[in-house]
Amino acid sequence: MRAETIRHDFASDNTAAICPEAWTALEEANTNYAPAYGEDEWTAKVCRRIRKIFEVDCDVYFVFTGTAANALGLAQLCQPFHGVICHERAHIQTDEGGATEFYTRGAKLFLTNSSDGKIDLGQAERLFAQQVELHGHMMRAISIAQATELGTVYTPDEVEAIGGFARGHRMLLHMDGARFANAVASLGCAPKTITWKAGVDILSFGGTKNGVAAGELVIFFDKKSSRDFQYRVKQAGHLQSKMRFLAAPWLGLLNGDVWLRNARHANQAARELAQRLRNEAGMKNIFPVEANAVFVRMGDQLVRALHACGWRFCKFVEPDVYRLMCSWSTTDEDISMLVGDLDAIK
């Protein structure tokens, strides 16, 4: 590979193109006229499809980004004096510019830590107990990521345990599902099993990392919590006038099992990449490969050499743990080229 070629194949699943089915659906929607602001047939079809997939009546809203989905969803649940328990590596804590605190007008994030990216309920209990009535924050929500930022996946039993904890403490459960499709594909379960049946009240369902160009869904399984949410979406600048162009790619993704097929492919590519890195380059996984992320240790000299070959990827944990992400479009050739360059460097 020529050094002047820059490759973002494993930098993030955000760097992949739009999947063919989403692109075709967008092209098909790009004809004639249609009602604006979500009154179109594509938006209605996506909402019906979501209710069918999750096997429950639920409220569905479109926003442009995952940050908006998380922050606006939590703002719908929380007052400024509320607290939200999450993992210290949760996206809402590390990568969303304080959006949750901004849109809730001051609700505080309370952090747990663990080696696998998952909420520790023992720590959650202690955080809850430390909030002295009236003098501390009123704990309102728990936010979990599925899959987690470390590429691990909550089992149905784990989600149910957290849901039970939330209900027992009169809290609500929010799920950041930026890679929800990868989690469902990994577990091989029905989507309802790790959402509303396990106690999840609100889900940010990600599409950008799974093949659409833009747009995430905010799904309220607790419909009482979604009252007037459309006004919050509008005020935040996330009500799309030409909504059919946000909805149509989702329709392409959700028809049949495209969304799961894309996720299965990304997960399988990650497992293949991890195996080849281990067998051919002697690089061990730092965290279990349960979704579409592979984490490995690399020294500065190796990273500089890979950068010189054109590869771009993300340092995730200091000082030397890097993340390699696979997507719906990752190919065996992509994997072979990266592993080949690693082998040549070493």
Side-chain angles (χ1 to χ4, degrees):
M1 185 176 68
R2 297 177 300 169
E4 64 268 22
T5 301
I6 303 300
R7 297 190 65 116
H8 296 275
D9 308 45
F10 301 101
S12 172
D13 37 8
N14 285 327
T15 63
I18 305 171
C19 74
E21 295 83 359
W23 183 261
T24 297
L26 181 60
E27 285 188 312
E28 290 174 351
N30 190 33
T31 57
N32 301 319
Y33 295 84
Y37 299 108
E39 299 297 323
D40 59 275
E41 62 181 277
W42 294 268
T43 300
K45 286 179 180 178
V46 171
C47 292
R48 289 196 297 270
R49 180 65 180 146
I50 286 292
R51 293 175 187 122
K52 184 175 181 179
I53 287 172
F54 286 90
E55 303 177 62
V56 72
D57 187 22
C58 53
D59 288 340
V60 184
Y61 297 90
F62 290 80
V63 294
F64 285 99
T65 69
T67 295
N70 288 332
L72 294 178
L74 285 167
Q76 185 72 7
L77 304 182
C78 296
Q79 295 291 332
F81 52 83
H82 282 149
V84 178
I85 296 174
C86 66
H87 193 272
E88 64 180 357
R89 293 198 176 276
H91 209 264
I92 61 173
Q93 161 67 10
T94 63
D95 288 275
E96 296 186 352
T100 294
E101 294 94 327
F102 177 80
Y103 279 106
T104 59
R105 308 187 308 279
K108 181 179 175 62
L109 301 182
F110 290 83
L111 310 180
T112 70
N113 58 73
S114 66
S115 60
D116 59 1
K118 298 179 181 180
I119 289 284
D120 181 298
L121 286 181
Q123 294 180 31
E125 182 65 62
R126 289 191 290 274
L127 288 171
F128 187 90
Q130 289 167 7
Q131 301 309 301
V132 181
E133 188 173 353
L134 290 182
H135 299 283
H137 285 73
M138 179 182 178
M139 291 301 196
R140 174 63 170 168
I142 299 178
S143 179
I144 63 175
Q146 181 72 311
T148 74
E149 292 299 302
L150 299 184
T152 54
V153 172
Y154 286 94
T155 67
D157 287 345
E158 289 173 327
V159 180
E160 188 172 1
I162 296 171
F165 177 93
R167 289 191 300 276
H169 291 76
R170 297 184 180 180
M171 301 169 71
L172 297 170
L173 179 54
H174 165 265
M175 179 177 282
D176 175 357
R179 298 183 177 92
F180 181 76
N182 301 92
V184 174
S186 177
L187 294 167
C189 66
K192 65 180 180 181
T193 306
I194 52 171
T195 53
W196 61 269
K197 286 198 73 175
V200 174
D201 298 289
I202 177 174
L203 168 69
S204 300
F205 189 0
T208 308
K209 293 174 171 58
N210 196 30
V212 303
E216 315 285 283
L217 303 181
V218 185
I219 303 173
F220 288 88
F221 301 110
D222 173 28
K223 297 185 69 173
K224 297 188 298 293
S225 297
S226 67
R227 182 177 178 182
D228 298 330
F229 185 68
Q230 66 270 27
Y231 289 94
R232 190 180 298 277
V233 171
K234 172 64 176 179
Q235 187 178 65
H238 283 268
L239 179 62
Q240 164 71 301
S241 58
K242 295 185 177 181
M243 186 70 82
R244 59 172 159 160
F245 299 121
L246 207 58
W250 267 99
L251 199 58
L253 197 67
L254 296 176
N255 276 338
D257 69 343
V258 174
W259 67 289
L260 284 176
R261 189 174 72 236
N262 284 355
R264 291 188 193 107
H265 177 89
N267 291 357
Q268 176 57 40
R271 290 192 294 270
E272 177 68 20
L273 174 62
Q275 182 178 8
R276 293 194 61 179
L277 288 174
R278 184 169 57 251
N279 294 343
E280 299 176 38
M283 302 174 74
K284 297 180 180 179
N285 310 324
I286 304 303
F287 307 112
V289 181
E290 296 178 351
N292 61 323
V294 179
F295 294 85
V296 292
R297 282 196 168 88
M298 289 189 276
D300 289 343
Q301 185 175 352
L302 176 58
V303 171
R304 286 195 297 269
L306 287 172
H307 283 174
C309 291
W311 295 101
R312 297 294 180 266
F313 43 83
C314 173
K315 179 187 282 189
F316 209 82
V317 181
E318 292 289 350
D320 59 357
V321 176
Y322 288 81
R323 185 189 72 176
L324 302 171
M325 293 297 304
C326 295
S327 72
W328 70 268
S329 60
T330 301
T331 65
D332 290 339
E333 182 183 8
D334 297 332
I335 295 171
S336 293
M337 292 184 72
L338 175 62
V339 174
D341 281 348
L342 271 167
D343 186 57
I345 292 167
K346 286 193 167 187

